[in-house]
């Protein structure tokens, strides 16, 4: 609350609690994607250490912000190999992009606390069928081609 010198009881303003409209949310997030970001540190004694982060990246201006989802790598995969970190990061970023951006019209998720188990099931189904990820078009075309050949 903001007050002025006149009188605290006379000019108290309430904060603006207007919710963001869904159209505004979609507009503000259309250029955002979760991505994996690796940081390699070479220590003085020559030891190479790799760290993995989940970042929220603006595809338009290329700015990134490290997210709290990166804590998973510190807590659960602290001593894992780089290949393991990259694999986990790939799956996590695909899942986050799926639930927050790709399926926004259906799920309307704005916070991870709104996650339902069925969203995870939908992701696993769509991932297995090749509808998730950068290569989704290639995988679905390949699967369509294979199934057509089986039918003939």
């Amino acid at each position: 609350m903001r007050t002025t010198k006149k009188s605290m009881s006379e000019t108290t303003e309430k904060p603006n609690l207007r919710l963001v409209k869904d159209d505004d949310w979609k507009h503000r997030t259309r250029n955002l994607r979760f991505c994996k970001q690796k940081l390699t540190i070479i220590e003085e004694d020559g030891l190479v250490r790799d760290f993995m982060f989940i970042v929220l990246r603006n595809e338009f201006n290329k700015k990134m912000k490290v997210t709290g989802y990166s804590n998973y790598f510190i807590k659960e995969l602290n001593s894992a190999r780089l290949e393991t970190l990259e694999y986990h990061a790939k799956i996590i970023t695909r899942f986050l992009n799926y639930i927050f951006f790709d399926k926004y019209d259906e799920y309307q998720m704005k916070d991870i606390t709104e996650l339902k188990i069925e969203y995870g099931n939908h992701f696993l189904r769509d991932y297995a069928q090749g509808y998730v990820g950068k290569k989704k078009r290639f995988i679905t075309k390949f699967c369509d081609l294979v199934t057509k050949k089986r039918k003939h």
Side-chain angles (χ1 to χ4, degrees), residues 42-133:
I42 302 173
E43 297 183 1
E44 289 179 11
D45 59 358
L47 179 66
V48 177
R49 298 183 64 189
D50 292 306
F51 298 91
M52 189 62 66
F53 299 94
I54 303 293
V55 298
L56 190 58
R57 181 178 178 189
N58 185 318
E59 296 294 328
F60 179 72
N61 64 18
K62 306 300 183 204
K63 290 184 180 181
M64 295 181 283
K65 180 179 180 180
V66 175
T67 67
Y69 303 115
S70 301
N71 291 336
Y72 170 74
F73 299 104
I74 297 167
K75 293 179 181 177
E76 300 295 326
L77 300 173
N78 195 15
S79 60
R81 295 180 358 180
L82 178 60
E83 294 81 13
T84 303
L85 296 174
E86 287 181 341
Y87 177 75
H88 282 247
K90 177 180 76 171
I91 301 300
I92 291 168
T93 55
R94 285 182 179 176
F95 177 68
L96 292 172
N97 286 322
Y98 179 85
I99 61 172
F100 282 113
F101 306 125
D102 300 343
K103 292 291 189 172
Y104 178 76
D105 289 335
E106 186 177 339
Y107 301 157
Q108 302 280 314
M109 277 191 52
K110 295 180 185 175
D111 190 293
I112 196 69
T113 59
E114 300 168 358
L115 182 65
K116 295 181 180 176
I117 194 76
E118 67 190 66
Y119 303 164
N121 290 335
H122 294 167
F123 169 77
L124 291 173
R125 178 200 63 216
D126 290 350
Y127 182 72
Q129 294 176 353
Y131 297 123
V132 178

Side-chain angles (χ1 to χ4, degrees), residues 94 130 132-140:
R94 285 182 179 176
V132 178
K134 289 183 179 179
K135 298 178 184 174
K136 60 185 167 188
R137 290 184 195 100
F138 167 76
I139 293 170
T140 54

Side-chain angles (χ1 to χ4, degrees), residues 1-3 11-19:
M1 285 190 184
R2 194 174 354 154
T3 58
T11 58
T12 303
E13 294 178 23
K14 294 183 180 178
N16 184 0
L17 299 176
R18 185 174 58 110
L19 295 174

